[in-house]
Amino acid sequence: MTDIASSNSRGFSRRSFIAGAAALTAAGVLSGCSSNTGGLAPHTADSSKAGTEEIFSGSCRSQCIQGCNLNVHVRDGQIVRTTAGHIEEEPFYEHICPKGLSHPARVYSAGRLQYPMRRVGERGAGEFERISWDEAIQEITDKWKGYREEYGPESIAFFLGSGNTAVLGGGTADGSVMQHLQTVMGACSVLPDRDIAFQSAMVKVFGPGSAFVSPLEWNGANHIVIWGCNPAVSCKRMMHFYLDAKDAGAQLTTIDIQYNTNAAKSDWFVPVHPATDGALVFGILSEVLAQGWQDTEFMRAHSEAPFLVKEDNTFLRMSDLGVAPTTGKNAYGMEVTIDPEVVWDEATQSAKSHLEAEKPALENVPEEVEGFKVRLVWDMALEAIGKWTPEKASEVTGVSVEDIKRLARMYGQEGPVLTGMNQGLNHYFNAIYTYDLIFLLMVVTGNIGKESAGLISGGGSFGISNSNGCINQPSSKGEKPAGPGRNINWTALYGIIHDQELLGKPFPLKSLYCSCTNIVSNQTEQNETIKSLKEVEFLVVEEMTMSDTALYADILLPACHWFECEDLRVRSYNMPYLVYNDKATEPLYESKSDFEIYKMIGSAMGFEDFFDFSEKDYISLWLNSPVAKKEGITYDSLRETKIARNHQLKENPFMGGKFFHQSGRAKMWTEKVVPEYNLGQEIDESKEHLLFYWEPAREANLEAPIREKYPFSVLGEHMRTRNHTQWWDVDYMKEYERQPIARFNPDDAKELGISEGDTVRLYNDRGSVTLLATINSGQAPKTINCPRSFLTREHIDGDFATISFNDYNQVTRNQCYFDQAVAVEKL
């Protein structure tokens, strides 16, 4: 039995970690976990391989968007080190970061869960007793069968976490076994709603598909912009590509709220106030237009700028002019209605389909066309941009007028420009509008769809899989799965659990299954997360370590490490390779692979005919796709080659200005506003039609009323040594990032009377966190930077995750990790 409440587990140093881990094990927090010195004891080395070293294929499967392939070195039956795997076709993808290097320490960590456990105390107290796998699976499935019978299949929900991006063991990986289990059961999905605005804006402006320009083209750019992201810390392999391009002659520019490693490596650093990047774009566009630097011909041919909008906010189409729609197939082979949008043709001074017009007009369009009052999209864009000047943008953003004009010249005259963004700008309430504008800046200046110009972030699925076939595969008797239940947005979860209803209708949600995730640490507004976990009737957590979420489990299942099972790394955003993962060693203790656990649960639920497959069977089905067949990729070939490239992926997906929308053009106007979630929110559609729109952030905005009470905004950056909270249990990595800190601007620290090493409390109406202060002259005034990914028990008090809010923008289901204002108390 364990008892977290009786343990003093906060703030122990790296030197005392081993002793601390032993004490915590005795006291309770790490009961069911190994100790550093005993981690190898349960594993018996194969004496026949004594003194020999074998190398197996592996990959880093955390969601840092990179998917590095690794060599896993095994000596005497033990994993001893990792090195970068060889990629003969493209060796510049061969990189490994500190996290990849430290995997052996994760395998033999003091935090490893050893056996299944059942809660015996209060939720969150960490009081468990050891049980067998048979007991654990039976208790889970007995509960679930009862819930299904009384309340229906949607009374059970799976949290789709991203902590393992592999097809057999992952949650969000395309076509994963977990998704198959959920579909067979008819269970709901709880969507994490993390990092959504970037993808939403990208799909909105460019259409569904990958927008990522391959690193093969980066060296041809004149300028590369790192805009609001942190590749030197978060995406280290990408940083190699940035620096290679700089060595090849590209000027590297960083636009950020703080001076960091990226800025130090750049030719030019542009500091900007938090979440004001959209206003910066408006200032840049204002100068671009004033100087005539827009790419008129690109917009005319490849954007919606010349489209005509009717009074009902829909496009004027050929059917409005009496031309009947036709049918055809889109780029994905789906049958669609073809009713082309109308433009005003300068050459013929008449209304024509944009597909047939000789010269679509961007000015001097009649106010009425064929009896319809119309507005030109570009005219509305000009009106929106005209409300800004570089001087006004400078006041809002803190960027000098000179620098705004220099950025305008760069985008308008000195291309090709590549723009790199990951998730930093995602974490504000106004993120969707910021991304819309940056993408449109690229379109207006013609810095997309051309060689060495475009977006160098924003991949997605590997584009090779039969994921739907995997998720919906029938049983061995030919029965079809029930189909997935409803999607539950994160911000609605607590209300559903507490009220057992959604939008006034019954929603009896009784059980939550968490795999490949640590929601207590990684979701916003932690106090509400904890309320959800305390009130849900039955919580099952599948984990490798005693995470913050694991402490609340009713049943806790020990998952093995990625190197202890076979799998296929399928989701990578900047490397065009699948990576096959060998089973390098046997799972330690009683841990099992995610694949085996999902099959055990599915079979015990009475769906054994839906899980009558092996690892080989499932991977083979996943690869049963036209692209995989064209590439000659099979299960057996992957076992041999270990990696496989998708050569069908375009190095520059928009080359020639061909975008993924049915019109083939980049979008500037939304006809029908459809929110990504429905919680009964009111929608102000005037914000959503024209994509040239921006509004300030909620709390990060310096002028927000809340800043009178809470004068500082807080950025939670990624850490070099962890990905979210993964790697929290690797002791020697704490040599680099020992404990939670708060970085202050020197002037702010002086005003608060704070010195280096002082203990401070950051707080607002939602929560608080106590940590150590450090002074950094690169930190922007009135901002605080807190490297995040620490567990609650690693903080002096509270948790960084308590100070954020759960609310979403009116149309975008996007968590806001940085849009948070706090006051500071020196302790």
Side-chain angles (χ1 to χ4, degrees):
M1 182 181 298
T2 72
D3 181 8
I4 186 174
S6 65
S7 68
N8 180 15
S9 58
R10 300 181 187 273
F12 48 84
S13 70
R14 65 186 188 278
R15 293 185 177 183
S16 64
F17 182 82
I18 294 177
L24 291 174
T25 301
V29 177
L30 304 180
S31 179
C33 304
S34 66
S35 68
N36 276 354
T37 55
L40 307 183
H43 186 84
T44 303
D46 185 349
S47 59
S48 66
K49 298 178 180 179
T52 64
E53 181 170 295
E54 298 176 278
I55 299 178
F56 296 89
S57 175
S59 85
C60 232
R61 304 212 295 261
S62 64
Q63 184 69 324
C64 66
I65 81 170
Q66 297 183 105
C68 300
N69 71 309
L70 309 174
N71 289 326
V72 182
H73 298 251
V74 176
R75 187 182 304 134
D76 297 338
Q78 308 291 337
I79 296 171
V80 294
R81 66 181 177 128
T82 53
T83 56
H86 179 55
I87 304 178
E88 184 172 353
E89 183 176 351
E90 293 168 313
F92 59 84
Y93 283 116
E94 296 174 12
H95 295 114
I96 187 171
C97 81
K99 289 171 281 192
L101 288 167
S102 65
H103 271 296
R106 291 192 76 201
V107 175
Y108 304 115
S109 161
R112 283 287 298 266
L113 296 176
Q114 297 180 36
Y115 40 74
M117 291 186 281
R118 176 194 294 123
R119 177 175 63 85
V120 294
E122 293 294 322
R123 284 255 177 87
E127 297 177 355
F128 297 97
E129 64 180 3
R130 181 175 184 172
I131 57 176
S132 68
W133 271 104
D134 287 343
E135 289 177 294
I137 298 300
Q138 181 170 347
E139 187 162 335
I140 293 168
T141 55
D142 283 352
K143 286 273 191 181
W144 285 3
K145 288 176 183 177
Y147 292 142
R148 284 170 56 85
E149 183 176 350
E150 185 172 358
Y151 303 106
E154 288 191 324
S155 59
I156 302 161
F158 286 67
F159 186 96
L160 295 182
S162 58
N164 183 1
T165 52
V167 69
L168 298 182
T172 57
D174 310 290
S176 71
V177 179
M178 179 179 171
Q179 293 171 5
H180 176 63
L181 172 61
Q182 174 206 3
T183 302
V184 169
M185 289 180 53
C188 292
S189 299
V190 178
L191 304 178
D193 294 340
R194 304 184 193 126
D195 302 332
I196 299 298
F198 178 83
Q199 298 292 331
S200 296
M202 184 174 64
V203 170
K204 185 198 314 182
V205 177
F206 304 130
S210 174
F212 180 73
V213 175
S214 166
L216 294 170
E217 288 201 8
W218 294 17
N219 286 6
N222 287 333
H223 291 273
I224 295 184
V225 182
I226 300 175
W227 200 326
C229 61
N230 193 6
V233 170
S234 302
C235 307
K236 295 176 183 62
R237 187 176 66 232
M238 287 187 73
M239 195 63 193
H240 282 277
F241 302 149
Y242 281 112
L243 296 178
D244 287 346
K246 181 184 176 184
D247 289 343
Q251 178 175 299
L252 189 59
T253 297
T254 290
I255 303 174
D256 209 315
I257 68 173
Q258 60 183 344
Y259 187 87
N260 54 22
T261 305
N262 304 289
K265 299 292 184 182
S266 297
D267 300 291
W268 184 26
F269 170 52
V270 181
V272 60
H273 292 329
T276 61
D277 304 81
L280 176 60
V281 173
F282 266 127
I284 295 170
L285 286 171
S286 175
E287 178 67 10
V288 165
L289 295 178
Q291 299 297 332
W293 291 337
Q294 68 271 23
D295 193 332
T296 301
E297 295 310 310
F298 187 86
M299 285 193 291
R300 191 193 308 277
H302 304 297
S303 81
E304 291 182 347
F307 283 10
L308 305 178
V309 178
K310 299 182 295 185
E311 290 181 292
D312 65 357
N313 292 319
T314 64
F315 290 127
L316 182 67
R317 296 179 179 273
M318 292 303 292
S319 60
D320 295 315
L321 307 186
V323 179
T326 59
T327 59
K329 291 188 176 181
N330 63 15
Y332 304 97
M334 300 172 59
E335 190 170 284
V336 294
T337 299
I338 300 176
D339 188 6
E341 297 86 347
V342 173
V343 299
W344 185 257
D345 188 359
E346 282 187 20
T348 62
Q349 288 296 297
S350 63
K352 285 193 174 183
S353 160
H354 74 92
L355 299 172
E356 298 175 353
E358 296 178 44
K359 188 177 182 182
L362 290 180
E363 59 184 359
N364 300 323
V365 172
E367 293 182 2
E368 186 172 307
V369 174
E370 300 285 340
F372 292 93
K373 289 185 177 181
V374 294
R375 294 167 291 166
L376 181 68
V377 170
W378 185 237
D379 278 346
M380 291 185 281
L382 289 175
E383 182 181 350
I385 298 169
K387 297 176 182 178
W388 291 83
T389 63
E391 288 75 18
K392 179 179 177 181
S394 178
E395 292 176 5
V396 174
T397 65
V399 179
S400 71
V401 172
E402 179 184 352
D403 281 351
I404 292 173
K405 291 184 175 182
R406 181 177 168 188
L407 285 166
R409 175 176 289 277
M410 184 179 79
Y411 271 94
Q413 291 285 282
E414 299 174 359
V417 179
L418 282 164
T419 304
M421 295 173 289
N422 290 328
Q423 309 303 339
L425 300 175
N426 231 322
H427 299 154
Y428 298 96
F429 199 71
N430 64 351
I432 188 72
Y433 308 127
T434 298
Y435 283 124
D436 285 347
L437 286 167
I438 296 176
F439 294 152
L440 290 174
L441 170 63
M442 297 160 63
V443 173
V444 171
T445 59
N447 278 294
I448 193 165
K450 302 175 183 178
E451 188 173 351
S452 299
L455 186 64
I456 55 178
S457 321
S461 64
F462 189 67
I464 202 169
S465 72
N466 176 29
S467 58
N468 286 333
C470 284
I471 295 170
N472 297 299
Q473 67 172 296
S475 72
S476 56
K477 297 179 180 179
E479 302 165 299
K480 293 183 178 180
R486 282 173 286 181
N487 290 331
I488 300 171
N489 291 103
W490 175 257
T491 193
L493 179 64
Y494 175 66
I496 293 173
I497 290 173
H498 183 72
D499 301 325
Q500 294 290 283
E501 64 177 37
L502 175 64
L503 298 176
K505 296 181 179 180
F507 197 142
L509 181 61
K510 301 299 178 180
S511 181
L512 180 62
Y513 187 93
C514 294
S515 173
C516 310
T517 188
N518 180 13
I519 59 177
V520 172
S521 298
N522 293 325
Q523 296 297 110
T524 50
E525 203 162 344
Q526 186 185 82
N527 288 328
E528 188 162 293
T529 304
I530 291 172
K531 286 195 297 182
S532 299
L533 298 188
K534 285 187 174 181
E535 290 189 23
V536 71
E537 280 194 20
F538 188 59
L539 176 64
V540 181
V541 177
E542 176 194 335
E543 253 288 7
M544 202 179 86
T545 66
M546 188 65 78
S547 67
D548 286 335
T549 305
L551 294 168
Y552 292 85
D554 292 299
I555 298 294
L556 186 53
L557 305 177
C560 68
H561 186 272
W562 306 332
F563 298 165
E564 297 171 338
C565 58
E566 178 184 23
D567 217 320
L568 185 63
R569 207 317 178 170
V570 300
R571 175 173 284 191
S572 175
Y573 295 76
N574 61 12
M575 189 177 78
Y577 287 89
L578 293 172
V579 182
Y580 176 77
N581 290 243
D582 288 310
K583 181 178 181 179
T585 61
E586 291 296 322
L588 289 176
Y589 317 109
E590 295 180 20
S591 65
K592 294 182 182 294
S593 69
D594 304 270
F595 175 80
E596 186 176 358
I597 295 170
Y598 300 150
K599 284 191 62 174
M600 290 170 66
I601 291 174
S603 297
M605 285 295 295
F607 299 114
E608 58 272 9
D609 291 334
F610 283 94
F611 292 88
D612 186 18
F613 49 70
S614 65
E615 290 92 337
K616 178 180 178 178
D617 296 333
Y618 202 86
I619 292 175
S620 296
L621 180 61
W622 193 87
L623 291 169
N624 185 24
S625 71
V627 176
K629 290 177 181 178
K630 189 171 184 178
E631 290 287 344
I633 303 173
T634 66
Y635 173 84
D636 290 331
S637 72
L638 277 172
R639 292 263 298 178
E640 179 68 25
T641 63
K642 307 304 182 185
I643 63 171
R645 197 189 202 283
N646 181 1
H647 294 90
Q648 311 306 308
L649 292 174
K650 295 181 179 179
E651 305 299 346
N652 189 330
F654 304 134
M655 181 60 74
K658 297 179 181 179
F659 298 97
F660 296 140
H661 290 299
Q662 187 171 320
S663 68
R665 293 170 176 258
K667 183 168 286 298
M668 292 183 173
W669 179 270
T670 298
E671 292 182 277
K672 185 177 181 180
V673 177
V674 179
E676 296 175 348
Y677 69 101
N678 178 20
L679 295 178
Q681 72 273 25
E682 294 185 5
I683 308 295
D684 180 355
E685 293 195 1
S686 67
K687 299 178 179 182
E688 309 299 334
H689 287 297
L690 183 67
L691 304 193
F692 290 87
Y693 172 81
W694 180 80
E695 64 184 32
R698 177 180 284 191
E699 296 186 10
N701 173 24
L702 291 170
E703 304 301 320
I706 196 172
R707 297 300 286 269
E708 294 183 13
K709 183 178 182 180
Y710 300 118
F712 295 90
S713 63
V714 184
L715 165 72
E717 73 172 13
H718 282 197
M719 295 169 59
R720 296 178 187 277
T721 57
R722 304 184 185 192
N723 190 53
H724 306 295
T725 53
Q726 291 177 323
W727 283 272
W728 72 268
D729 54 331
V730 178
D731 182 38
Y732 64 75
M733 294 283 266
K734 295 174 186 176
E735 293 280 346
Y736 304 98
E737 292 171 305
R738 294 179 55 180
Q739 60 195 105
I741 62 170
R743 297 194 189 108
F744 288 86
N745 173 275
D747 292 337
D748 292 335
K750 183 178 180 180
E751 180 181 332
L752 293 165
I754 293 173
S755 300
E756 184 82 19
D758 282 349
T759 302
V760 295
R761 174 175 169 258
L762 315 182
Y763 66 94
N764 56 26
D765 291 340
R766 296 179 293 270
S768 71
V769 58
T770 302
L771 25 66
L772 294 184
T774 186
I775 315 302
N776 189 311
S777 58
Q779 192 64 32
K782 299 304 177 185
T783 68
I784 303 169
N785 191 333
C786 297
R788 66 187 295 267
S789 294
F790 291 97
L791 298 186
T792 299
R793 58 183 176 265
E794 294 182 277
H795 293 84
I796 296 171
D797 192 34
D799 193 299
F800 179 81
T802 65
I803 60 178
S804 52
F805 58 76
N806 271 345
D807 295 345
Y808 298 164
N809 164 274
Q810 63 175 0
V811 296
T812 311
R813 57 181 185 90
N814 188 59
Q815 294 221 299
C816 304
Y817 292 100
F818 298 170
D819 202 345
Q820 49 204 357
V822 299
V824 179
E825 178 186 12
K826 177 182 174 181
L827 301 179

